[in-house]
Amino acid sequence: MSIPLILASQSKPRRDVLYAAGICPTIRVSHVDEPAALEAAAAQTGVAVDDLTVEQRVMILAEAKAQAVHRAYRDVADTAAAATGNRVIAYPLRAAEVQAEDAEIDEGADAVTADSSIDYSSDRIATTRDFSGVDMPTVTEPISNIIALQPGLTRATVGPLIIGCDSMFLMDGECYGKPHSAEVARARLRKMRGNSGELWTGHCVIDFATGRVARGASHATVHFGDFSDKDIERYIATREPLEVAGSFTLEGFGGAFIDGIEGDPHGIIGISLPLLRKLAAELGVEWTDLWNVQRGEIAPESADAAGIAMAGKDNLPPVENVHQPGDGWVDCACGRKHWGTNGASGILLARRDPATGKVTHVVMQHRAAWSAEGGTWGIPGGATADGESPIEGALRESYEEANITPEDIEVVGSYREDHGNWAYTTVFAFEKLGHSVEPKANDDESMEICWVPIADVPNRKLLTAMKTDWPRFAARLDELATAYAGK
């Protein structure tokens, strides 16, 4: 299996460069306060920010981004490693009544098969199969087995590699970042025409398993053509130059205004492949060990990346959605099509009354209209990424989607519904004593994320799987609250 790579950037050009080079990264935005990071670094060296060279600036910011994502993944791994309690594994497809039902379907003319002719937006495919009332065979084991026996962050000996990048443009001794406004972009572009400058990109690579760090910078000289004021206005109207370092791109509308480049062209786009290969080698990783895309494979469209059974043109997913390792449909043995090539998982987070210890609320997600079973309520979660255990995937996804901070919760059990070639793991967790989680929708996969009173959960329009499982989940939460009273 390839070594996973995490890109601490939401830059589509950087992601596309990696994908074209055979690497599909996991995207994790760092949310670094860049001015504050520069000020802190300058203060440590006893100089002003204006005294920092462009190379120093991009290196400082690249490492700040990589370290922020490294800390976030460290929190996930630490919380997963501290998990206690039991894992219950249920095998619904082994139940006698399910096997009998499947036999009847197979004999009928309307049997479901997984092929390209199926309309996966139909209810039979888009909704999870309802196993309510089914006496499912189960196995119970210590949850620590997941950590001890399954691949994951806590057991990795190498990787994932976390990459932080930052770019700035240097011209006439002045450093340019992103202009953010049309006025700033206009002034810069007028200075740039017929002129030359240097595009610098800092790179920081961290090996999660060892904590080792490798750093470097890429730069290239860019020669601009003598474009007109009309060209500038039309270019600004595309909005492309507003959120890119230096107010120009090589791979977009701005490419026609660049007469020549001296140096690494990928560095102009914001990520230098030759430099990254060298930095990975410093950490003992062969570049080819990072390949996880087949030659000629096209990056999936956003609809596929979101894991959606499309319900019509009015329910399209956000264009920002990107394909990540582990995303993809699985033709499940249960006759449905499920999301997550490595399976999927989510967090069922409960809040307890400080006095009685009883569960009072759980965090729930009101699913976006464009998602499968859109408009229903469930728990935050998603596909397990390459190199993660189900618990780690649930913790990562629930933070990204719902702001459930892993350092503020404790994992106390799990429930895995195993279909053979696909499984979904529900991870039970409590807020730690003295800690408070403030859930919110961090992306467009949710209409709403909130604490829901435990008694109100059955009154919501629940995701099929949640509706099926809620009675046993509610009973399990009561048992766990009793077992963890005072903890």
Side-chain angles (χ1 to χ4, degrees):
M1 177 177 283
S2 62
I3 297 171
L5 187 145
I6 301 165
L7 179 61
S9 170
Q10 62 184 350
S11 165
K12 185 177 184 299
R14 288 187 180 122
R15 176 178 62 88
D16 290 347
V17 166
L18 287 170
Y19 202 96
I23 302 170
C24 179
T26 294
I27 305 299
R28 179 64 182 262
V29 183
S30 64
H31 301 295
V32 164
D33 184 335
E34 296 186 13
L38 289 174
E39 289 173 7
Q44 284 182 348
T45 57
V47 301
V49 171
D50 290 343
D51 295 326
L52 296 172
T53 67
V54 64
E55 181 177 9
Q56 289 174 318
R57 296 186 197 197
V58 295
M59 292 291 289
I60 289 166
L61 293 178
E63 181 160 9
K65 294 173 183 179
Q67 291 289 3
V69 171
H70 179 250
R71 287 192 298 272
Y73 269 76
R74 188 75 267 157
D75 289 339
V76 165
D78 290 346
T79 299
T84 58
N86 291 325
R87 171 171 84 147
V88 176
I89 310 171
Y91 300 95
L93 301 188
R94 298 181 188 177
E97 53 266 56
V98 171
Q99 292 178 344
E101 176 189 342
D102 288 347
E104 292 178 5
I105 292 176
D106 289 341
E107 293 174 0
D110 62 342
V112 174
T113 56
D115 60 44
S116 58
S117 65
I118 294 176
D119 175 11
Y120 287 113
S121 66
S122 66
D123 284 346
R124 183 172 181 81
I125 301 301
T127 60
T128 305
R129 190 167 174 179
D130 186 347
F131 291 114
S132 57
V134 173
D135 185 16
M136 291 182 278
T138 61
V139 172
T140 300
E141 62 182 20
I143 202 170
S144 56
N145 286 0
I146 300 178
I147 306 301
L149 302 176
Q150 291 190 343
L153 298 174
T154 58
R155 294 184 61 239
T157 57
V158 60
L161 295 190
I162 300 169
I163 297 178
C165 306
D166 191 78
S167 299
M168 287 189 179
F169 184 64
L170 179 67
M171 190 176 71
D172 297 334
E174 186 175 355
C175 295
Y176 294 156
K178 300 174 183 178
H180 300 303
S181 71
E183 292 74 17
V184 174
R186 183 178 297 110
R188 291 182 182 179
L189 289 166
R190 285 176 177 172
K191 288 181 64 176
M192 289 158 56
R193 60 182 168 194
N195 207 340
S196 299
E198 295 180 345
L199 197 290
W200 285 78
T201 296
H203 297 67
C204 178
V205 182
I206 302 175
D207 179 3
F208 179 84
T210 65
R212 294 175 60 207
V213 180
R215 310 169 186 83
S218 163
H219 75 281
T221 301
V222 185
H223 302 283
F224 297 98
D226 190 15
F227 39 83
S228 67
D229 284 348
K230 184 176 182 180
D231 290 331
I232 291 174
E233 293 307 317
R234 288 185 170 180
Y235 185 38
I236 290 173
T238 69
R239 302 192 65 78
E240 180 182 272
L242 303 187
E243 298 301 327
V244 291
S247 311
F248 70 93
T249 64
L250 174 63
E251 75 287 357
F253 287 104
F257 305 123
I258 297 173
D259 284 352
I261 294 171
E262 298 171 36
D264 176 17
H266 286 141
I268 302 297
I269 299 175
I271 190 164
S272 170
L273 296 179
L275 177 56
L276 285 181
R277 179 176 58 82
K278 294 174 183 176
L279 296 178
E282 288 183 23
L283 300 176
V285 175
E286 297 286 341
W287 181 255
T288 52
D289 286 338
L290 299 171
W291 286 349
N292 60 353
V293 176
Q294 297 296 317
R295 178 174 169 80
E297 185 177 339
I298 304 299
E301 297 296 330
S302 59
D304 291 330
I308 306 155
M310 293 301 296
K313 65 180 181 179
D314 294 331
N315 286 325
L316 293 175
V319 296
E320 295 84 2
N321 284 351
V322 297
H323 182 81
Q324 311 235 47
D327 285 354
W329 290 108
V330 172
D331 293 313
C332 185
C334 77
R336 303 299 172 93
K337 203 171 180 75
H338 294 310
W339 187 247
T341 59
N342 303 315
S345 56
I347 294 286
L348 179 53
L349 176 63
R351 171 171 283 174
R352 296 171 289 171
D353 184 282
T356 67
K358 293 185 177 297
V359 172
T360 60
H361 296 75
V362 293
V363 173
M364 299 203 72
Q365 174 194 44
H366 195 189
R367 298 167 62 84
W370 49 261
S371 64
E373 295 193 64
T376 60
W377 290 80
I379 59 174
T384 304
D386 293 354
E388 291 179 332
S389 72
I391 291 179
E392 292 163 351
L395 290 166
R396 175 187 55 79
E397 282 278 345
S398 63
Y399 174 74
E400 293 175 359
E401 287 185 5
N403 201 50
I404 295 177
T405 43
E407 62 270 28
D408 292 317
I409 69 176
E410 55 183 343
V411 174
V412 293
S414 70
Y415 175 83
R416 176 181 174 90
E417 184 172 294
D418 196 319
H419 293 191
N421 63 333
W422 183 87
Y424 189 92
T425 298
T426 299
V427 178
F428 296 89
F430 291 144
E431 284 180 310
K432 290 180 179 177
L433 292 179
H435 292 244
S436 178
V437 173
E438 301 301 328
K440 64 179 181 179
N442 280 344
D443 57 29
D444 292 323
E445 295 190 30
S446 312
M447 295 184 189
E448 181 183 5
I449 301 281
C450 62
W451 286 105
V452 174
I454 192 83
D456 188 42
V457 172
N459 301 325
R460 306 275 170 139
K461 182 182 179 182
L462 299 177
L463 186 75
T464 299
M466 178 57 69
K467 182 179 180 180
T468 301
D469 292 330
W470 179 248
R472 67 171 69 95
F473 285 178
R476 180 100 182 261
L477 286 173
D478 283 343
E479 294 171 359
L480 289 168
T482 300
Y484 284 82
K487 298 180 182 178

